Amino acid sequence: MGHSRYRYMFCEVHYGGRVTDDYDRRLLTTYGKVWFGDHMFADSFMFYKGYVIPHLKTVEEYRTSIESLPLVDTPDVFGLHPNADISCQTKVSQGMLDTIMSIQPKDSNTGSGETREDTVKRMANDYLSKLPEDFDKNKVKAAIAKQGSLKPLSIFLAQEIDRMQAVISVVRSTLNDLKLAIDGTIICSAQLQDALDALYDARVPPTWTKISWQSATLGLWYSEMLQRIAQFQTWRLLVPHQAQNWALDGVKLACEVMKQMKEDINLHPLLKVFTIHGLYIEGAGWDRKNIRLTESQPKILYQLMPVIHVSAIFTQDEGDPKLYCAPVYRRPRRTDLNYVFMVELKTVQSPDYWILRGVALLCATS
């Protein structure tokens, strides 16, 4: 049996069969391809500098060789950039700080003359002053009907507006109820107490995240909500392409990374073409001059990407194997719940190199 069959058994069946995420399985099969093959029996083979396959005679010699390995492996051993260690330590530190904050005593007096309740009431007034009015159902229905109420994008827009209206209603209700509870007009329920604690700690109340999205801080969440509302209020539907009669199963997104940043150009979305900006690359850097992947700079965990053109093409081609397929996620937490789509990026190295690096594009860095 060849090593390709062994790799399939290990990476796709025995271990890979337990992996449900496609990109996790891709990483597993890449480890098998890079580390498991005829090349591993060469005298020059090593997993990383200092990590070799020993050719010894006795069990004691093997034990001595194993004990000589470092107690803590660096990210380079697994193909990651040294910046990955910074990311890991940052997450551990953040988790510790969150735990410390959660067990802080909930004293009413902050020491500055303003109580917790006064602080939250002031925040509630500020957020309510920035919260837009509810969507007018009649105006929304008329605007969508004008664009074609049965078109897929129109249906999507109507559904998203309904979801956003639910978020607006919950936010407005929570803030108003908090003000009444602080004034003693209504009873402060457990749900309102959780919201009060969350606002004071600059966290998103659980009732808000339950019907919306995750965010690192309350300020980021609220600004994202305002931006989403503004986007829906200024939505412009493009005329769908009907002349080609494309089947959906043959349509593919074609992405082209430009040299320019958002502030360098002023493009209007044309037919079938959209521009995306604000994506960050993690695990690698980006060479704007040559429009390709490059190594990350030390201590630079994220780099802002240039504008990306995304268009629809009809093809049965699987894509260029020399390009790296980078997944795009909404948040650094890489799960199928945060996955958006895939972007093909140019590279000089083999795509396997960047798979081990864990390169991905993020819509937000926290």
Side-chain angles (χ1 to χ4, degrees):
M1 293 178 66
H3 283 94
S4 60
R5 297 180 181 177
Y6 287 121
R7 283 197 298 267
Y8 184 84
M9 289 173 58
F10 295 149
C11 301
E12 295 286 354
V13 180
H14 188 67
Y15 294 107
R18 303 166 184 256
V19 180
T20 58
D21 186 88
D22 291 338
Y23 289 100
D24 288 343
R25 188 181 297 109
R26 182 182 71 168
L27 175 62
L28 184 60
T29 55
T30 303
Y31 274 125
K33 182 167 59 174
V34 173
W35 284 355
F36 194 79
D38 293 328
H39 58 283
M40 67 186 297
F41 297 104
D43 294 335
S44 59
F45 175 80
M46 62 177 63
F47 298 101
Y48 182 67
K49 185 178 180 181
Y51 290 78
V52 299
I53 299 178
H55 301 282
L56 306 174
K57 297 181 180 179
T58 65
V59 174
E60 289 300 325
E61 290 177 335
Y62 277 103
R63 287 177 176 172
T64 302
S65 177
I66 293 173
E67 292 174 355
S68 66
L69 294 174
L71 294 178
V72 179
D73 299 317
T74 64
D76 310 77
V77 177
F78 305 99
L80 295 168
H81 192 275
N83 285 346
D85 192 40
I86 300 177
S87 299
C88 178
Q89 297 299 326
T90 300
K91 292 179 180 178
V92 172
S93 301
Q94 186 63 48
M96 182 184 301
L97 292 174
D98 291 341
T99 302
I100 294 174
M101 288 293 295
S102 66
I103 62 176
Q104 287 273 341
K106 304 296 190 296
D107 294 334
S108 295
N109 198 335
T110 61
S112 61
E114 187 179 43
T115 64
R116 282 169 51 90
E117 289 74 14
D118 292 337
T119 301
V120 172
K121 185 176 180 180
R122 174 172 50 80
M123 295 173 63
N125 286 326
D126 181 52
Y127 286 137
L128 282 172
S129 65
K130 298 177 181 178
L131 188 64
E133 296 295 329
D134 294 344
F135 287 99
D136 189 316
K137 293 184 178 180
N138 295 327
K139 291 183 179 180
V140 170
K141 185 177 180 179
I144 292 179
K146 185 177 180 181
Q147 299 289 348
S149 57
L150 295 181
K151 292 180 180 179
L153 283 179
S154 298
I155 296 174
F156 168 78
L157 176 58
Q159 293 173 341
E160 289 300 307
I161 289 178
D162 289 341
R163 292 180 59 189
M164 185 54 64
Q165 179 56 55
V167 174
I168 295 174
S169 299
V170 171
V171 170
R172 195 186 311 278
S173 174
T174 301
L175 295 176
N176 284 324
D177 288 348
L178 272 176
K179 292 172 57 179
L180 294 175
I182 291 173
D183 292 337
T185 306
I186 63 175
I187 297 176
C188 185
S189 63
Q191 191 177 57
L192 286 178
Q193 184 62 48
D194 290 341
L196 188 147
D197 294 338
L199 262 65
Y200 185 78
D201 295 336
R203 294 181 289 106
V204 186
T207 54
W208 296 5
T209 55
K210 185 177 180 180
I211 62 169
S212 60
W213 54 90
Q214 298 287 335
S215 191
T217 64
L218 176 61
L220 287 175
W221 185 93
Y222 208 84
S223 62
E224 288 176 0
M225 182 189 67
L226 297 179
Q227 290 174 3
R228 293 183 185 215
I229 295 173
Q231 181 185 22
F232 292 143
Q233 291 173 340
T234 58
W235 184 286
R236 293 294 180 269
L237 295 179
L238 300 180
V239 179
H241 196 285
Q242 298 176 344
Q244 300 295 335
N245 294 321
W246 289 349
L248 284 178
D249 57 356
V251 177
K252 179 182 178 182
L253 292 179
C255 302
E256 179 186 4
V257 182
M258 311 299 292
K259 289 186 176 181
Q260 298 88 347
M261 304 299 288
K262 177 193 173 184
E263 57 272 11
D264 299 330
I265 57 176
N266 185 20
L267 294 178
H268 186 277
L270 300 177
L271 186 63
K272 302 185 302 178
V273 180
F274 297 85
T275 58
I276 298 177
H277 63 86
L279 292 180
Y280 294 86
I281 187 169
E282 182 184 27
W286 185 255
D287 185 351
R288 288 180 57 188
K289 181 179 179 181
N290 298 304
I291 317 179
R292 66 189 182 192
L293 289 167
T294 186
E295 285 290 356
S296 298
Q297 296 295 323
K299 300 181 181 180
I300 304 297
L301 304 183
Y302 308 102
Q303 181 180 343
L304 184 62
M305 289 289 290
V307 172
I308 300 177
H309 278 184
V310 181
S311 59
I313 60 175
F314 185 80
T315 178
Q316 300 295 334
D317 189 8
E318 294 295 332
D320 189 347
K322 296 181 180 180
L323 298 177
Y324 172 68
C325 298
V328 180
Y329 296 96
R330 293 187 297 168
R331 304 290 175 193
R333 184 174 176 80
R334 303 184 186 184
T335 65
D336 55 347
L337 296 177
N338 287 326
Y339 178 74
V340 184
F341 69 112
M342 179 269 295
V343 175
E344 293 181 334
L345 301 176
K346 295 180 181 179
T347 171
V348 175
Q349 296 93 333
S350 168
D352 293 342
Y353 179 83
W354 301 113
I355 292 176
L356 297 183
R357 276 285 197 255
V359 177
L361 299 180
L362 306 176
C363 298
T365 59
S366 61

